[in-house]
Amino acid sequence: MSETFVLVTGACHGGWAWRPVANELRAAGHEVHTPTLAGLGEDDDPRDVTLTDCVNSLVEYVERVGLTDITLLGHSWGGYVLVGAAPRLASRLRRLVFWSAFVPNDGESLIDACPPHYGEMFHAVAAASGNNGVTFPFEVFQQAFMQDADEETQRIVHSLLVPQPLGTFTEKPDTSAFYALDIPTAYVLSEEDLSLPGEWHWAERFPQRLKNPLMIETPGSHEALFTRPAELADAFVRACAV
């Protein structure tokens, strides 16, 4: 059965990052949309962009294009955008899929949901940036986010990332409308994802916040959209069984 996917990236990525996965899904007959959210375009100024701005840009895209019966999928920080947008798009949604993604509690910013040393790093990098943007140091990206790729590929992808607006990490969302929804959900977990360590790991905290999600595991790191696109696309299609 053909699905209509709207894929929401994680921090520092634009819609371009989905191209390998989108190609796999389209080859299998699915419709795929990969919007770039507010503040994450190549020439965007991240200075004053908030999480609400990103949610608004996703909702506006879906409404402008006139999409319905959607599988809305978010990666990593993109889970925050899904939680904000889903209540406003509820009549257009078939299901929600979280891939190694945050599912925030009420009033819990992304920095609140991360290990303290990550929060300290985000604030320090943003303060030194001159534009209130957060970038991941190459060594962190290499070792914890894309460790299943060769160094040349790691450096190419890292060079394409854009500064993430700090405001999208510090805004504390109101999730009450999201948790009142009755929409089928799935949680896809990359088996070699090292981006959140130990007790902070994705599987230890976030799937349990959803209502009876379909759980799916797939090979690869946090950046499996580049390193394992075929397997990831297959996992997304399997998530549509919910």
Side-chain angles (χ1 to χ4, degrees):
M1 181 176 178
S2 178
E3 303 286 342
T4 298
F5 287 95
V6 177
L7 307 180
V8 179
T9 58
C12 302
H13 297 62
W16 58 269
W18 287 117
R19 187 174 300 172
V21 174
N23 288 343
E24 296 284 345
L25 291 171
R26 289 173 180 139
H30 303 290
E31 181 179 348
V32 185
H33 296 261
T34 60
T36 295
L37 302 181
L40 293 171
E42 184 177 358
D43 298 318
D44 288 355
D45 185 343
R47 204 175 314 269
D48 299 316
V49 178
T50 66
L51 175 61
T52 295
D53 292 329
C54 293
V55 170
N56 289 342
S57 68
L58 175 60
V59 172
E60 289 164 5
Y61 175 87
V62 170
E63 292 178 344
R64 182 176 70 254
V65 179
L67 300 178
T68 59
D69 210 21
I70 302 164
T71 294
L72 184 60
L73 184 148
H75 178 219
S76 193
W77 163 81
Y80 272 81
V81 182
L82 258 64
V83 167
R88 296 168 58 186
L89 296 174
S91 65
R92 299 174 181 267
L93 299 180
R94 178 181 289 186
R95 65 182 63 82
L96 295 167
V97 180
F98 294 78
W99 165 43
S100 290
F102 292 93
V103 184
N105 283 324
D106 194 52
E108 181 184 51
S109 72
L110 181 135
I111 285 181
D112 295 333
C114 283
H117 70 277
Y118 270 16
E120 293 167 4
M121 178 182 70
F122 296 154
H123 279 294
V125 170
S129 69
N131 62 9
N132 210 35
V134 176
T135 54
F136 292 94
F138 175 71
E139 293 74 16
V140 174
F141 183 78
Q142 179 184 45
Q143 296 169 17
F145 287 75
M146 202 177 181
Q147 78 281 358
D148 56 344
D150 60 79
E151 183 172 343
E152 180 181 6
T153 302
Q154 292 168 340
R155 289 192 179 278
I156 290 171
V157 173
H158 186 262
S159 73
L160 295 172
L161 302 181
V162 299
Q164 180 76 15
L166 182 65
T168 67
F169 282 0
T170 58
E171 184 176 340
K172 296 179 180 294
D174 179 346
T175 64
S176 54
F178 171 77
Y179 285 111
L181 293 175
D182 188 19
I183 296 174
T185 61
Y187 200 97
V188 177
L189 182 69
S190 287
E191 294 169 329
E192 290 83 50
D193 193 328
L194 305 178
S195 57
L196 288 180
E199 64 181 319
W200 298 91
H201 192 258
W202 309 99
E204 300 299 319
R205 298 186 292 152
F206 300 118
Q208 298 86 340
R209 298 180 182 183
L210 300 172
K211 297 176 182 177
N212 301 313
L214 175 65
M215 289 294 302
I216 293 174
E217 293 189 350
T218 188
S221 66
H222 197 65
E223 296 289 320
L225 72 176
F226 299 111
T227 61
R228 307 295 285 266
E231 292 96 328
L232 193 58
D234 176 70
F236 292 172
V237 171
R238 286 187 283 133
C240 293
V242 66

